[in-house]
Amino acid sequence: MPTHASNDTATHSGVNVYLQSKDGLSTDNNSNCNFYLDTIITPDRADLGMMVSVIDAEIPYSFYNITAKNNSLTLNDIVLELTERNYNAYNIVDEFNSLFKSKPTLSNVVMSFDDNSNKFTITSPSEVTLVSTTMSEELGATNLPQTTDSYTSNQACNLSGTSSIYIRSDNMNVRNINSFGKNNGVLSKVLVTSPPGNFIFYQPSTPQYFVLNNPLSYINIQMLNDDNEFIDFNGLNWSLTLSIEFFRKRDDSINYKYYLDGVPDNQIKDV
């Protein structure tokens, strides 16, 4: 239950909404779901408002750090693509070395990884041109193209994948903002602290409530990564609980009847 000075929930019971992605109308690889409600959730009195909070979530770590969006490296106009899955640095090295060997003009090219500098190196007996990559962050290669016989990443690699999952709704009009000060509708930011293949459990010790600015005939829930992209859960389902509480709206007008009570009539001036 929210702890707020203006909250009045003693006589106005809230409601928990238990959502499972398998029960919603899902798009974008199960990360954008609409849940259509039999009963509209709305205050039953004009002086009441609504607040919402994500009080728990169970999210499968079934998404990958390497996908079709960030899996290619182009050498001498030959595009090399990794299979979509989770990789560590040594998996990356093994996979690319295998791909190099499969191409006659690149068969002597070798990739290695230095875990002290956290950088990749590509060497060749003769010069090769590293044309481009969709893995600039993952490989730490942000200065391509380069033509050389020995190339080392210009910055440390990052294979951690998304660090957080952003639980967002596009129909609750929650006024949270992003780094640019733009409204993003995010209800909660869930840190990814579990390893791949496990569940990510979210249960804040003190739920944070946000004012809902409209009745709910349906609920939209989206799961986004650090790049504001829908997460591909590879067919697995997530669940979460929304807590919706009602509060008495503040009355900003001054009731002069009580404010002036006890003041002699001859001292009251018209406003």
Side-chain angles (χ1 to χ4, degrees):
M1 181 177 294
T3 55
H4 190 282
S6 66
N7 182 43
D8 175 19
T9 58
T11 58
H12 310 290
S13 179
V15 60
N16 284 349
V17 185
Y18 303 99
L19 301 176
Q20 298 190 59
S21 59
K22 67 182 180 65
D23 297 329
L25 183 61
S26 177
T27 60
D28 298 293
N29 301 306
N30 216 26
S31 59
N32 186 7
C33 293
N34 288 331
F35 301 89
Y36 293 92
L37 308 175
D38 290 338
T39 303
I40 295 176
I41 301 176
T42 187
D44 57 7
R45 285 182 1 207
D47 65 332
L48 296 180
M50 296 194 300
M51 295 185 290
V52 63
S53 177
V54 179
I55 60 173
D56 64 54
E58 302 80 35
I59 304 170
Y61 195 157
S62 56
F63 45 91
Y64 301 147
N65 65 345
I66 300 298
T67 70
K69 295 180 179 179
N70 63 335
N71 71 333
S72 70
L73 173 65
T74 302
L75 268 65
N76 293 347
D77 295 324
I78 298 175
V79 180
L80 306 164
E81 294 183 340
L82 301 183
T83 303
E84 294 183 57
R85 66 180 181 88
N86 284 311
Y87 290 81
N88 61 32
Y90 296 104
N91 298 149
I92 294 278
V93 167
D94 291 343
E95 189 80 5
F96 271 123
N97 282 335
S98 178
L99 290 172
F100 294 153
K101 291 182 186 299
S102 70
K103 308 295 182 183
T105 59
L106 300 176
S107 59
N108 292 319
V109 176
V110 176
M111 177 182 280
S112 59
F113 178 73
D114 183 346
D115 55 12
N116 291 313
S117 64
N118 208 32
K119 293 182 177 182
F120 292 96
T121 296
I122 295 175
T123 58
S124 174
S126 58
E127 285 190 341
V128 294
T129 299
L130 287 77
V131 180
S132 63
T133 181
T134 60
M135 305 176 64
S136 56
E137 182 176 355
E138 289 76 15
L139 295 178
T142 63
N143 60 347
L144 303 186
Q146 296 283 335
T147 300
T148 180
D149 59 5
S150 180
Y151 172 81
T152 298
S153 307
N154 64 303
Q155 65 183 39
C157 71
N158 181 6
L159 291 168
S160 62
T162 188
S163 63
S164 302
I165 297 172
Y166 297 82
I167 301 176
R168 178 185 183 275
S169 177
D170 69 0
N171 77 315
M172 293 190 185
N173 294 324
V174 173
R175 295 175 181 172
N176 290 328
I177 60 176
N178 61 17
S179 304
F180 304 101
K182 295 181 178 179
N183 191 308
N184 62 4
V186 169
L187 297 169
S188 292
K189 175 184 176 182
V190 179
L191 301 180
V192 178
T193 57
S194 300
N198 288 266
F199 269 90
I200 301 162
F201 294 101
Y202 172 73
Q203 190 171 32
S205 57
T206 305
Q208 188 170 10
Y209 283 77
F210 304 102
V211 174
L212 270 171
N213 293 295
N214 56 283
L216 295 177
S217 60
Y218 77 97
I219 294 173
N220 170 260
I221 296 293
Q222 302 173 4
M223 300 280 183
L224 305 173
N225 64 16
D226 290 333
D227 296 319
N228 202 38
E229 299 170 334
F230 290 113
I231 294 172
D232 185 352
F233 290 103
N234 290 295
L236 297 191
N237 292 294
W238 48 262
S239 65
L240 61 80
T241 304
L242 293 180
S243 171
I244 297 175
E245 294 285 351
F246 300 96
F247 67 96
R248 182 173 295 163
K249 297 178 181 178
R250 290 180 181 270
D251 186 355
D252 292 329
S253 63
I254 299 174
N255 192 327
Y256 287 98
K257 174 184 176 181
Y258 298 104
Y259 181 75
L260 299 174
D261 188 33
V263 179
D265 290 343
N266 61 2
Q267 295 184 22
I268 297 176
K269 296 181 179 180
D270 292 334
V271 178

